[in-house]
Amino acid sequence: MDFKKFLPWIIVAVFVIGIYNWASGIYNNAVSYDQDIKESWGNVNTAYQRRNDLIPNLVRTVKGAADFEKSTLTAVIEARAKATSITIDPKNITPEQLTAFNSAQSGVTSSLSKLLVSVERYPELKANTNFLKLQDELASTENQILTARTRFNEAVKPYNNNINTFPRNVLAGMYGLKEKPYFEAVAGAEKPAEVKF
């Protein structure tokens, strides 16, 4: 049997198998990283859902205070409704969708901050154990949200690196894989907070 006769076919077969393994490895890595992003996005949503679940209890507790600013409560309720109306599929997330989501969630944060500042004028609320417990739970939830957002960004980075480096980006384009956006700070976050006494 003449081995030299089959040598070109063996070389072609090894080359084809190598290319196939390399290309499928890129795609399989992207799928694995994408699953990590979906898991991280689920954790982001869970943290925001926890905050949204606390808001009605907070509003009910604050409503009990005589003469509390109704416009402040209305702003919190409306911000929560807007934030919960935005849903995102992490598989097809776009920078615009993430910006809209982030903006809506910032509206909730802002309205809650105004609510908590308003409470300072109501000593009976500041002494209410239910309110204090809800305030602590909200603070804890805000920390969970920060952690979930950070972990989401950490999950996005390897995915983006996988599909954006050459020559992987050529195959990623053929597979239809697109870069995922990161959570960014809301507009104006770089300015120091104004403290008034």
Side-chain angles (χ1 to χ4, degrees):
M1 182 171 189
D2 188 15
F3 179 72
K4 291 181 182 178
K5 184 166 113 176
F6 294 107
L7 188 59
W9 292 106
I10 292 171
I11 292 172
V12 168
V14 167
F15 180 75
V16 168
I17 290 170
I19 292 292
Y20 171 79
N21 286 337
W22 175 73
S24 64
I26 291 171
Y27 182 77
N28 291 340
N29 282 343
V31 168
S32 176
Y33 293 140
D34 192 50
Q35 290 300 313
D36 292 342
I37 290 170
K38 286 178 185 175
E39 177 186 18
S40 295
W41 183 254
N43 293 337
V44 167
N45 275 336
T46 299
Y48 278 118
Q49 184 62 52
R50 176 172 157 68
R51 180 174 73 177
N52 289 333
D53 291 345
L54 289 172
I55 290 173
N57 293 334
L58 183 68
V59 168
R60 277 193 297 276
T61 303
V62 171
K63 262 186 186 175
D67 301 327
F68 193 83
E69 296 92 350
K70 302 299 181 205
S71 62
T72 305
L73 290 175
T74 303
V76 170
I77 293 165
E78 288 173 357
R80 178 184 179 267
K82 181 179 179 187
T84 56
S85 70
I86 297 176
T87 56
I88 294 177
D89 175 10
K91 186 159 181 65
N92 301 313
I93 194 169
T94 65
E96 296 78 21
Q97 289 174 327
L98 193 57
T99 299
F101 179 85
N102 206 18
S103 175
Q105 295 299 338
S106 294
V108 175
T109 301
S110 176
S111 63
L112 280 173
S113 295
K114 289 175 186 167
L115 174 80
L116 295 175
V117 167
S118 299
V119 165
E120 293 299 316
R121 292 187 289 252
Y122 297 90
E124 68 275 11
L125 266 177
K126 288 173 31 177
N128 182 315
T129 55
N130 284 340
F131 177 78
L132 293 174
K133 182 180 176 199
L134 286 167
Q135 195 174 17
D136 286 345
E137 286 186 43
L138 274 172
S140 170
T141 300
E142 291 299 326
N143 288 332
Q144 289 175 0
I145 289 170
L146 174 63
T147 300
R149 287 170 51 126
T150 301
R151 289 185 179 152
F152 175 81
N153 283 350
E154 289 170 354
V156 167
K157 183 179 178 181
Y159 174 87
N160 286 346
N161 285 341
N162 184 60
I163 67 165
N164 285 329
T165 55
F166 182 81
R168 294 169 182 251
N169 60 343
V170 175
L171 283 173
M174 290 169 42
Y175 289 137
L177 303 175
K178 294 182 179 153
E179 186 172 357
K180 308 273 188 194
Y182 291 97
F183 267 110
E184 295 178 6
V186 294
E190 71 282 354
K191 297 175 189 166
E194 187 177 329
V195 179
K196 294 182 181 176
F197 295 99

